[in-house]
Amino acid sequence: MTYYKSKFTASVYATISISFWGISFVSTKAVLGKLDPYSLLVVRFGIGSLFLLLLLLMQRKRLLVSIKYIPHLMILGILGVFVHQILQATALLTINASSAGWLISFSPIFTVILSILFLHEKLSLSKALGMVLAITGVLIVTTTRMGQSFQFSINIGFLLMMLSTLNWAVYSVLLKSLKIPYSPLLITFYMSLIGLILTTPLIIRNKGWVSLSLLNYSEWAHLLFLGVFVSGIAYWYWGKALEVLEASKVSMFLYMEPVATLITAVLLLDEKVFLISVAGGIIIIIGVIIVNGQLMPMMVNLIKKKRR
């Protein structure tokens, strides 16, 4: 029972991370009118780093890490924060959100391949079936939501987004395989801090502090959400999920990001919801549940326990 509980808890952490990342487009859209995307990244990870530091201090966690693991943390910070975010921000300047949505679906595929090669994970029939279902659902949700048919065109944005998905797969596998003997919270803090240091020259180059003075209270609220929940908690919970679940299984939760985006758009932006989009979302969820097969036994055990 404890085994299923830990797996279920890890699945919840991954779902929360994906939900925050899926919702983030609303806050990003609200702020981009006044702040350029690169300065936005600096502020996001500045707020995220401060939030994570406060959590560590409140929990009286030791902040020092062995010099042996500094290179590990630097690699994770460069790949997971700096490179990943720069690639996506640049790609979104030349491709639309619909194209980005289905291109992101390649990340779990890359993660599965890398996990088989380097983590010796196995590709079962159920995992392959769940992946196919989830990809189908992503295509349905992203294309119908944007009112566009499936499009395939290769340009610099396409290539950058593909690199971004491959980069995230490498990051997830490394985070799992490096086995750094510190809490996910401390690891995430140093990753965020490294990302902040590396992106700071961007806000200096673009004189982003001028734009910051023009933001109103509502826009600052969006920035706080992006910093605390998207750049802080989401990365932290993703690390917690990878502590328990296989990297290939955690990566499957990325397919639920368009579902979170769709729900947010309907609730906050009064976007119309189409029946086919709902069907696509259900297909994604079914695919993720099939891949993470431990969820069903967990629910069965809970039902049996209640009947006793």
Side-chain angles (χ1 to χ4, degrees):
M1 189 64 183
T2 304
Y3 169 81
Y4 289 122
K5 275 188 175 180
S6 64
K7 299 285 186 180
F8 181 75
T9 302
S11 298
V12 171
Y13 282 133
T15 302
I16 292 172
S17 295
I18 290 304
S19 298
F20 287 147
W21 286 329
I23 294 169
S24 67
F25 89 98
V26 176
S27 294
T28 301
K29 188 176 180 180
V31 178
L32 280 181
K34 293 182 180 177
L35 198 61
D36 70 271
Y38 302 111
S39 295
L40 173 59
L41 288 180
V42 181
V43 178
R44 266 183 57 178
F45 286 104
I47 295 172
S49 299
L50 181 59
F51 169 74
L52 294 168
L53 177 61
L54 289 174
L55 278 182
L56 287 166
L57 293 175
M58 288 171 63
Q59 296 180 15
R60 297 184 178 180
K61 299 282 187 181
R62 186 180 176 184
L63 296 178
L64 295 178
V65 295
S66 169
I67 193 169
K68 174 183 176 182
Y69 296 104
I70 296 296
H72 300 64
L73 292 170
M74 288 196 67
I75 290 171
L76 291 173
I78 291 169
L79 289 178
V81 177
F82 179 69
V83 174
H84 182 70
Q85 294 296 337
I86 292 296
L87 284 173
Q88 282 206 351
T90 307
L92 287 170
L93 294 175
T94 55
I95 63 173
N96 58 42
S98 177
S99 298
W102 70 263
L103 285 170
I104 287 171
S105 68
F106 280 92
S107 189
I109 298 173
F110 289 141
T111 305
V112 168
I113 294 171
L114 293 174
S115 297
I116 292 171
L117 291 175
F118 298 105
L119 299 179
H120 309 295
E121 295 180 8
K122 295 180 180 179
L123 179 61
S124 63
L125 180 61
S126 62
K127 188 180 289 186
L129 175 62
M131 187 177 298
V132 171
L133 277 175
I135 293 172
T136 304
V138 168
L139 291 175
I140 292 172
V141 172
T142 54
T143 55
T144 55
R145 191 184 146 250
M146 300 302 294
Q148 299 170 349
S149 59
F150 177 74
Q151 296 177 352
F152 182 87
S153 60
I154 297 180
N155 57 26
I156 187 64
F158 173 94
L159 295 174
L160 288 174
M161 186 58 74
M162 286 297 289
L163 281 174
S164 169
T165 58
L166 175 59
N167 173 76
W168 186 258
V170 172
Y171 159 74
S172 294
V173 171
L174 278 176
L175 186 59
K176 178 77 176 179
S177 63
L178 288 176
K179 297 179 180 178
I180 303 174
Y182 297 105
S183 69
L185 179 59
L186 185 61
I187 293 171
T188 307
F189 164 67
Y190 277 108
M191 281 172 44
S192 188
L193 185 62
I194 291 167
L196 171 63
I197 293 169
L198 292 175
T199 53
T200 295
L202 298 175
I203 199 170
I204 297 173
R205 184 195 68 180
N206 297 333
K207 297 182 179 179
W209 60 84
V210 176
S211 300
L212 284 175
S213 64
L214 302 176
L215 298 178
N216 57 36
Y217 290 115
S218 175
E219 288 158 345
W220 271 107
H222 284 293
L223 270 180
L224 285 172
F225 171 78
L226 289 169
V228 173
F229 292 95
V230 179
S231 298
I233 294 176
Y235 270 85
W236 173 26
Y237 280 6
W238 191 255
K240 287 173 74 70
L242 281 166
E243 270 193 321
V244 179
L245 295 174
E246 294 176 0
S248 57
K249 288 187 174 182
V250 175
S251 71
M252 285 298 297
F253 285 88
L254 286 170
Y255 289 128
M256 295 180 67
E257 188 171 338
V259 179
T261 302
L262 174 65
I263 293 171
T264 307
V266 171
L267 295 178
L268 300 183
L269 301 181
D270 296 321
E271 189 173 293
K272 290 182 180 179
V273 59
F274 298 99
L275 187 59
I276 190 170
S277 295
V278 176
I282 292 172
I283 290 172
I284 292 172
I285 293 169
I286 291 173
V288 173
I289 289 176
I290 289 174
V291 172
N292 291 274
Q294 76 282 350
L295 295 180
M296 294 308 292
M298 172 66 183
M299 294 181 71
V300 170
N301 280 326
L302 286 174
I303 292 170
K304 286 181 178 179
K305 189 176 180 181
K306 285 182 179 180
R307 286 179 177 177
R308 289 174 184 171

